[in-house]
Amino acid sequence: MLKILKYSFYDLIRSRWSYVYLLFYLALGFVLLFLNNDLSKAVITLMNVIIILVPLIGTIFGVMYYYNSKEFTELLLAQPIKRSSIFLGQYLGVALSLSMSLIIGLGLPFTMYGLFQSNTIWEFLLLLITGTFLTLIFTALAFNIALYNENKIKGFSYAILFWLFMAVIYDGLFLMSLIMFESYPLDKFSIGVTLFNPIDLSRILILLKLDISALLGYTGAVFQKFFGTNLGVILSCIALSIWVFLPTFNIYRKSKKKDF
Amino acid sequence: MFSNNDLYENNTFENNGAGVAVMFSKKIKMLTNTFKENWGTASYGLLLKEINDAEITGNIFKENTIGINIEGSNRIRYTKNSFIKNGWAIKVRGACYTNIFSNNNFMYNSFDVSYNSKLNDNKFDKNYWSGYTGYDLDKDGIGDVPYRPVKLFSYIVNRTPETIILMRSLFIDMIDFSEKVSPVFTPDNLLDNYPLMKSKND
């Protein structure tokens, strides 16, 4: 598995797209810090970008890589290598190279602007961690979608639809349900619903570390407990890990049975 | 409470669990006070209830959960105040008529103004709003497009407080934008017709 991981990783690192992705983050980081030197404000702005963009790139890259390397995968399958190691290796190769672009692309400008001397380092680290989590989750989900769909176009459209659902439509449905059931106690429900969407989850996780969390605690005792203590951070980290684990496990399970 | 013709000047109210509450009084003057870091789940900078004909000038409200909480207060002039980085800059709870907000700075607040009804009789004029995205073609320092300080999301949060968990999500930005283009739920005459392009930071 490690060999395949290494192969996909190097393959992707040499490809044009990961350079573009890396350069994009470098440019974003430098421009943001150039426009205002305030690291903490830059972190907030980056949060908005990361939460939408990272899942999108993760999904599209994952699907694209799977379909593009399909012939190579078939070649590998003819060799005496375990199936799970082929697919998991490829998945980790994509996810790790994307996360590396993210970490280097954002880490470099921030370190140059004096991250280590400032007190926003924990918030920035949290940003990178959630970014990495999101990459892992959405690449895994993209691989799942690709494994279930032989047809390229179908796979692509499902992947994009899935991203759209998670990033926008889910929140819309969530909001509607909250307004419809407004006469019921909703705080536990709303925290529960948040845990089912990794994008919402990482948004909350980052908000928790910013000052605005007091604003969120305003509404009731359950929110107060969730947002005011470390419980929120721990719970959302656990939920994110489950989100990584389940799709990865499904790749493993599905790739064992799939016909080629 | 129940104390007319008072003057509050040059005070600093900081790190309070609740905040400054002024109630049932007439002709109060509040000049150049600072309300800051009253930052907790139940904190506010200033709470006004049944205050009439008052004048609130040159105060700074910085990093409060709620800058000013207004209820049943009429004919108050808010001028030259700065609202910086508050959760809610101004929260209007109802029964507030003919108040005038002019020459204030509203900077980086999560919600600038929050209303709980569609009725509006208050005037917003010549304030600076950091969320303003309009342009100034004739270069007179006043934006050419009116600014709407009440966002749809603040209306929704008022109705269903739990929805605040959706803060800063992409969907919320989208519905805020569509409400800005054609207001349905927020008071449609609540506008700043002369928003300033630059803050009054002197």
Side-chain angles (χ1 to χ4, degrees):
Chain A
M1 184 172 119
L2 276 178
K3 231 175 199 162
I4 291 165
L5 196 163
K6 216 167 94 187
Y7 182 81
S8 338
F9 187 72
Y10 282 126
D11 178 36
L12 273 163
I13 275 186
R14 266 180 273 141
S15 86
R16 201 169 358 134
W17 288 109
S18 49
Y19 281 117
V20 171
Y21 191 51
L22 175 72
L23 280 179
F24 168 77
Y25 277 121
L26 273 179
L28 184 74
F30 274 119
V31 166
L32 268 179
L33 290 169
F34 179 72
L35 287 176
N36 67 358
N37 262 316
D38 192 349
L39 285 173
S40 63
K41 266 198 205 121
V43 169
I44 298 177
T45 317
L46 272 180
M47 172 200 130
N48 289 330
V49 177
I50 279 189
I51 278 174
I52 299 305
L53 204 71
V54 164
L56 178 65
I57 300 285
T59 352
I60 291 182
F61 235 77
V63 175
M64 215 162 69
Y65 187 80
Y66 177 84
Y67 285 128
N68 274 349
S69 63
K70 205 167 176 192
E71 280 158 18
F72 176 63
T73 315
E74 278 163 12
L75 180 76
L76 279 181
L77 285 170
Q79 315 295 322
I81 310 173
K82 255 178 37 192
R83 274 187 165 204
S84 56
S85 67
I86 295 176
F87 288 98
L88 287 180
Q90 280 184 348
Y91 156 63
L92 284 178
V94 177
L96 289 183
S97 74
L98 284 179
S99 328
M100 206 184 69
S101 298
L102 175 81
I103 290 170
I104 294 179
L106 290 181
L108 217 63
F110 274 80
T111 11
M112 281 171 74
Y113 274 80
L115 175 73
F116 295 113
Q117 278 91 46
S118 76
N119 46 9
T120 49
I121 183 156
W122 288 113
E123 280 145 38
F124 184 72
L125 271 182
L126 186 72
L127 193 76
L128 288 187
I129 290 170
T130 41
T132 313
F133 260 125
L134 280 175
T135 315
L136 286 172
I137 292 169
F138 276 85
T139 319
L141 288 166
F143 262 76
N144 270 314
I145 291 171
L147 274 170
Y148 279 97
N149 291 290
E150 280 301 307
N151 189 336
K152 239 187 205 184
I153 301 194
K154 246 185 173 173
F156 258 106
S157 40
Y158 281 143
I160 290 182
L161 260 181
F162 177 74
W163 170 78
L164 196 69
F165 178 78
M166 281 306 190
V168 182
I169 301 170
Y170 189 88
D171 283 357
L173 295 176
F174 185 16
L175 183 67
M176 292 229 290
S177 61
L178 282 180
I179 290 177
M180 255 158 64
F181 299 110
E182 63 182 348
S183 41
Y184 295 90
L186 283 172
D187 20 17
K188 274 183 192 149
F189 167 75
S190 51
I191 287 176
V193 171
T194 316
L195 295 182
F196 282 100
N197 183 346
I199 296 184
D200 271 350
L201 202 60
S202 28
R203 182 170 53 81
I204 293 294
L205 192 60
I206 296 170
L207 280 184
L208 278 173
K209 279 287 137 206
L210 303 174
D211 284 348
I212 328 173
S213 56
L215 220 63
L216 295 170
Y218 180 79
T219 31
V222 178
F223 272 29
Q224 166 74 45
K225 202 174 160 201
F226 186 79
F227 292 115
T229 59
N230 275 330
L231 182 75
V233 179
I234 294 166
L235 251 175
S236 15
C237 280
I238 292 173
L240 276 177
S241 315
I242 293 173
W243 263 106
V244 178
F245 176 73
L246 282 182
T248 316
F249 181 72
N250 202 39
I251 293 177
Y252 171 74
R253 199 182 60 92
K254 176 73 190 169
S255 63
K256 254 186 178 168
K257 284 190 282 183
K258 191 174 159 68
D259 286 334
F260 279 91
Chain B
M1 280 191 221
F2 304 108
S3 159
N4 300 334
N5 299 309
D6 293 347
L7 174 67
Y8 302 75
E9 214 175 350
N10 297 326
N11 301 294
T12 300
F13 303 97
E14 203 176 339
N15 279 320
N16 295 303
V20 181
V22 186
M23 301 188 197
F24 305 102
S25 309
K26 287 180 208 157
K27 293 184 184 150
I28 278 176
K29 272 190 184 163
M30 297 194 139
L31 310 173
T32 56
N33 302 296
T34 305
F35 303 81
K36 63 178 181 181
E37 289 156 36
N38 300 306
W39 191 254
T41 46
S43 318
Y44 45 82
L46 177 62
L47 180 141
L48 302 175
K49 187 174 166 64
E50 308 291 334
I51 301 288
N52 294 320
D53 306 294
E55 195 178 306
I56 296 177
T57 304
N59 302 293
I60 296 171
F61 297 86
K62 199 175 173 190
E63 292 172 34
N64 306 295
T65 308
I66 301 175
I68 309 185
N69 196 340
I70 315 167
E71 196 175 345
S73 301
N74 309 310
R75 298 180 298 280
I76 302 182
R77 303 175 71 88
Y78 301 86
T79 43
K80 295 181 187 161
N81 302 297
S82 293
F83 299 88
I84 305 165
K85 289 186 185 170
N86 301 295
W88 284 266
I90 293 176
K91 198 164 192 174
V92 178
R93 299 278 200 184
C96 297
Y97 302 104
T98 39
N99 298 298
I100 297 171
F101 300 84
S102 63
N103 290 304
N104 302 296
N105 292 322
F106 290 86
M107 303 208 276
Y108 321 115
N109 303 300
S110 294
F111 303 100
D112 284 329
V113 179
S114 142
Y115 259 66
N116 58 1
S117 69
K118 270 196 79 167
L119 197 65
N120 173 45
D121 190 38
N122 303 317
K123 248 194 197 144
F124 290 85
D125 259 337
K126 292 193 178 170
N127 300 295
Y128 169 75
W129 311 89
S130 63
Y132 183 58
T133 50
Y135 42 82
D136 178 22
L137 287 181
D138 48 7
K139 301 269 176 215
D140 57 354
I142 291 169
D144 299 345
V145 191
Y147 178 73
R148 292 186 179 282
V150 180
K151 290 183 189 158
L152 176 59
F153 186 45
S154 76
Y155 169 81
I156 294 173
V157 169
N158 244 324
R159 232 182 97 171
T160 325
E162 284 85 4
T163 50
I164 200 163
I165 201 167
L166 285 167
M167 194 162 65
R168 280 168 191 263
S169 96
L170 183 64
F171 183 76
I172 294 299
D173 291 346
M174 277 158 62
I175 59 168
D176 271 349
F177 178 75
S178 61
E179 175 77 7
K180 202 167 89 182
V181 176
S182 58
V184 181
F185 298 104
T186 51
D188 50 356
N189 62 343
L190 202 161
L191 317 147
D192 192 332
N193 278 311
Y194 307 100
L196 300 179
M197 295 304 287
K198 286 214 166 117
S199 66
K200 303 215 145 208
N201 230 351
D202 35 82

